[in-house]
Amino acid sequence: MTPNRESRSFTPAEPDTAQLPTADSDGSEPQTDEIPRVTSHRTPTSPQAPPADDGRTRGEDGGGDQPPSPTAGAALRTRTPHSAPTASDPGAGARATPDAGLRSAPDAGSRPTPDAGPQSAPDAGSRSDSGAGSQSAPDAAAPTAAPTDGAGTSRAKRLLGKTRPAGANPKNVAERIARKAVNRIISDKAPTTQPIPIVQVLKGTPYQKPVEASAKSEDAARMILDLAVDIGAIMLRAGANTADVEASVIATCTSLGLPNSEVDLTSNSLTVHYTDPEGRHMTALRVNREESIHFAKLSSVHKLVTDMVDGRTEYLEARERLDAIRRQRRPYTEPLVTLAWGFLAACFVILLGGSYLSAALGLVMAIINDRLGKLLARTGMPEFFNTLIQAAFTTLVAMTAWTLDLIASPQFLVASGIVLLLPTMGIIAAVQDALTDFPITASGRLVRVLMTMAGIVSGIALGLMIGEAIGLSPVEIIVDSGGVEVLATIISTVAAFGVGAAACVGNLTSRRVILPAAIIGLVGFIVYVVGSVLGLGNIINCLISSTVVGLLCRPIALRRGAPPIVVLVPAIFPLLQGLSIFSAVYEIVQPQEAVPLSLGLSSLLAAITANATLAVGATFGDFLARPLRSRKKTPVDTPPPE
């Protein structure tokens, strides 16, 4: 790198001088001038004027100050050799002349031609007076300084003109900025490419501050991995969403001494990887081939993981407790669960405004339908056909009661049966996975939800067609799909409470959670009724009411020692849009002259969107409730005994 009078050299090298010939403009014998090849020393522009202390910073190598030139101002900064110019040096005036200006004078003589060799390169940053001659540049390959004004303004000056200090050289400012940026990158102790610790995933969960144990041996690590994947497999089978499963597995590994574990989840499998300090890789895998909703097991697993995170439970005790959870019996007998689903259907009929006789028929119909579904499931029939048959049976029961004049509003009976068939758990889990960055599991759950919805729609259409074919009276929609006008009654609110309580029993929830879930479901239903009275749209109303439900479920569930989803799913049942789905399907199967197909399809899309909105609002409310209650950690002064 060669010196340039308008640029700074940052190459750390010892000063090395060379005898370069110079010639005065009058043709006199050339003089020699010692020019350092690499230096960052600064001297005043004019040898006659002593350097003034104007507050400028010194050069990086401790060189002299750089005061402004009398005529060029602060924009001119020059490089000179370590030795100060003397009066006997003919080139001194060429290097520092008070009236030299920013560039050479027009009469300073012609510039050397390009073939003059490297000793006389054109315009190598020299400054000359009209009578003082010129000074050759050290190297012809040195870049020429960019113009500082006029049409040829350099890009650096254009970019820095508004931010650089007044009178500063734009190239020097750009160099300082670049140097600071490079130093900042080099000295950064936490670069952006550093992986984020997996324990950060626990932020915002009930296990956000686990008590981390020390690393384990290979055999101990394998046992801990087996415990972690067993916990995750039980949660997947019992109906937990993906985010809760991942948080529980990570919290288990971290609290037992495997903080560097990695968790990989799909809709039906769980894989945990770990690399010990010696570089050995370990992997544990579990596959979930069947789902059986059991919220009581979820609560027990939540309590176990909480104790491990707090440091109150070690591996041996955790393994014993997990084996006991795996053998945990259902909190309610099977006949009681079936009766609970029937009671839920009856309460939903009353909630929508149906008669007590319709509610009684709904109770019987739901019990028969539940037993029919379990019988079909034992045959290995796919879930789609199972749902289709149950939906068709529900529709035929309603049409038969309508034909016999037993009920006045058959649509309420069909809606109660649809609520029992809706994949409520799947809808909530799919939406939560999509909103919490689990696209693969969300896609898998969404496909299952859509297939179940398709089975419901196909079953209702099939039931209507079979009923008309055998001479049953066609169902008439007495009220609109929302059914808002008949909901604001005391009986309906009591029925909403019953729906929430029955959903808790049907999903095998612990007894201590039934009352809170039923009350939250009642509050959400009241909010929905108020929104309907105020004239809010169905979608917006569903969003607001479900957000309130999600906001209340999280702190109450954690206080009861259960994950939020255990309370959320039963509390959302009073808000499900079963009547809207039936109304949309009824419009689709009508003749084209009566109702256009496009209108029925749009109504069906609106009904499905309303149910999905309930899951979105519940997830949003759960997110809002995270900072409301921070679980206090139990201090652990000494590690528990092995």
Side-chain angles (χ1 to χ4, degrees):
M1 181 174 180
T2 58
N4 191 308
R5 295 186 183 276
E6 292 184 0
S7 63
R8 297 179 60 186
S9 174
F10 299 101
T11 305
E14 294 296 329
D16 187 11
T17 60
Q19 299 293 333
L20 299 180
T22 58
D24 293 337
S25 61
D26 56 357
S28 60
E29 291 296 325
Q31 301 284 341
T32 59
D33 186 22
E34 292 184 357
I35 300 178
R37 293 180 182 177
V38 179
T39 181
S40 60
H41 186 74
R42 297 184 181 180
T43 58
T45 303
S46 176
Q48 290 80 9
D53 187 7
D54 58 351
R56 296 184 180 274
T57 58
R58 293 182 176 270
E60 292 183 355
D61 58 346
D65 295 331
Q66 185 180 354
S69 176
T71 57
L76 177 60
R77 296 183 180 180
T78 60
R79 294 283 185 179
T80 61
H82 287 284
S83 59
T86 60
S88 61
D89 188 0
R95 288 194 301 274
T97 304
D99 57 351
L102 292 178
R103 305 294 295 176
S104 299
D107 58 346
S110 60
R111 298 177 183 271
T113 57
D115 57 354
Q119 302 297 332
S120 58
D123 192 13
S126 62
R127 303 291 184 267
S128 62
D129 189 59
S130 59
S134 61
Q135 179 178 348
S136 300
D139 193 354
T144 304
T148 57
D149 54 3
T153 304
S154 65
R155 184 182 180 187
K157 184 174 181 179
R158 291 198 306 270
L159 295 176
L160 302 173
K162 295 183 178 181
T163 58
R164 64 186 176 87
N169 192 320
K171 181 174 291 186
N172 294 339
V173 175
E175 289 176 350
R176 285 198 299 270
I177 294 176
R179 184 170 62 254
K180 290 180 180 179
V182 172
N183 292 336
R184 188 181 302 112
I185 295 174
I186 295 176
S187 61
D188 188 7
K189 298 181 180 179
T192 56
T193 56
Q194 183 178 356
I196 300 176
I198 195 171
V199 73
Q200 296 296 326
V201 178
L202 302 178
K203 184 178 180 180
T205 68
Y207 323 118
Q208 57 186 347
K209 294 180 180 179
V211 176
E212 301 183 21
S214 59
K216 306 295 182 180
S217 63
E218 181 179 3
D219 294 338
R222 292 187 183 279
M223 291 189 294
I224 294 173
L225 284 182
D226 288 338
L227 176 66
V229 294
D230 286 344
I231 288 176
I234 291 177
M235 295 182 68
L236 283 174
R237 179 179 173 84
N241 56 22
T242 306
D244 290 345
V245 175
E246 184 189 52
S248 299
V249 173
I250 294 174
T252 300
C253 293
T254 304
S255 60
L256 294 181
L258 307 182
N260 299 324
S261 302
E262 293 293 341
V263 181
D264 184 20
L265 273 169
T266 64
S267 58
N268 61 350
S269 66
L270 167 64
T271 306
V272 182
H273 308 272
Y274 174 70
T275 303
D276 63 5
E278 298 181 1
R280 290 186 291 264
H281 299 278
M282 307 175 203
T283 301
L285 171 67
R286 294 292 185 274
V287 177
N288 178 37
R289 296 180 176 86
E290 185 182 3
E291 187 176 90
S292 178
I293 304 300
H294 198 319
F295 284 170
K297 280 189 178 181
L298 281 184
S299 300
S300 300
V301 172
H302 173 82
K303 185 65 170 59
L304 171 61
V305 177
T306 301
D307 291 342
M308 287 190 293
V309 167
D310 289 340
R312 294 192 294 264
T313 301
E314 277 293 332
Y315 169 79
L316 294 178
E317 182 182 355
R319 170 55 70 182
E320 294 177 357
R321 290 176 58 179
L322 185 63
D323 293 339
I325 292 173
R326 184 182 288 109
R327 299 188 301 267
Q328 182 176 344
R329 301 181 59 182
R330 299 189 173 204
Y332 317 104
T333 61
E334 186 172 350
L336 181 59
V337 173
T338 302
L339 181 62
W341 288 122
F343 183 72
L344 189 152
C347 291
F348 203 86
V349 171
I350 297 177
L351 182 146
L352 294 176
S355 62
Y356 293 107
L357 182 58
S358 298
L361 287 176
L363 174 66
V364 176
M365 178 195 66
I367 293 176
I368 297 176
N369 219 2
D370 181 72
R371 302 309 304 174
L372 176 63
K374 292 181 179 179
L375 179 63
L376 294 175
R378 293 174 183 173
T379 64
M381 180 179 293
E383 186 178 357
F384 173 84
F385 300 106
N386 194 342
T387 304
L388 186 149
I389 293 174
Q390 289 178 289
F393 173 76
T394 301
T395 306
L396 288 173
V397 170
M399 293 182 69
T400 302
W402 167 254
T403 302
L404 299 177
D405 291 332
L406 297 178
I407 55 177
S409 301
Q411 70 275 10
F412 296 150
L413 189 59
V414 179
S416 64
I418 292 175
V419 167
L420 297 181
L421 298 177
L422 281 176
T424 308
M425 184 68 211
I427 294 175
I428 296 177
V431 171
Q432 287 183 341
D433 290 350
L435 296 178
T436 53
D437 296 332
F438 292 97
I440 297 179
T441 56
S443 301
R445 295 180 189 271
L446 182 61
V447 170
R448 296 180 60 183
V449 168
L450 292 179
M451 292 303 299
T452 305
M453 297 293 293
I456 293 174
V457 172
S458 302
I460 294 174
L462 180 63
L464 291 174
M465 294 176 60
I466 294 176
E468 293 180 1
I470 63 178
L472 298 178
S473 300
V475 176
E476 297 181 4
I477 303 297
I478 307 299
V479 297
D480 57 3
S481 59
V484 173
E485 289 80 359
V486 295
L487 297 182
T489 60
I490 300 297
I491 297 179
S492 295
T493 55
V494 174
F497 180 87
V499 168
C504 288
V505 177
N507 287 290
L508 303 180
T509 304
S510 302
R511 291 180 176 86
R512 64 178 180 274
V513 180
I514 294 179
L515 183 60
I519 294 177
I520 294 175
L522 174 61
V523 172
F525 179 74
I526 293 176
V527 174
Y528 182 85
V529 172
V530 172
S532 301
V533 173
L534 296 178
L536 298 179
N538 189 40
I539 301 296
I540 299 299
N541 206 0
C542 289
L543 179 63
I544 295 175
S545 56
S546 59
T547 301
V548 174
V549 171
L551 184 66
L552 297 176
C553 284
R554 184 176 184 84
I556 293 178
L558 294 180
R559 186 175 294 275
R560 293 281 177 169
I565 197 170
V566 170
V567 180
L568 179 61
V569 172
I572 212 73
F573 263 85
L575 303 176
L576 293 177
Q577 304 292 301
L579 184 58
S580 299
I581 294 178
F582 172 72
S583 301
V585 176
Y586 181 80
E587 293 176 357
I588 291 176
V589 300
Q590 293 301 310
Q592 292 294 315
E593 306 83 42
V595 180
L597 179 62
S598 59
L599 180 60
L601 292 177
S602 62
S603 300
L604 179 61
L605 179 61
I608 296 176
T609 304
N611 285 282
T613 303
L614 293 175
V616 173
T619 304
F620 181 62
D622 180 79
F623 175 79
L624 294 179
R626 288 187 177 187
L628 294 182
R629 181 177 182 268
S630 58
R631 184 171 55 84
K632 295 182 179 180
K633 301 292 298 180
T634 301
V636 181
D637 298 331
T638 58
E642 295 291 341

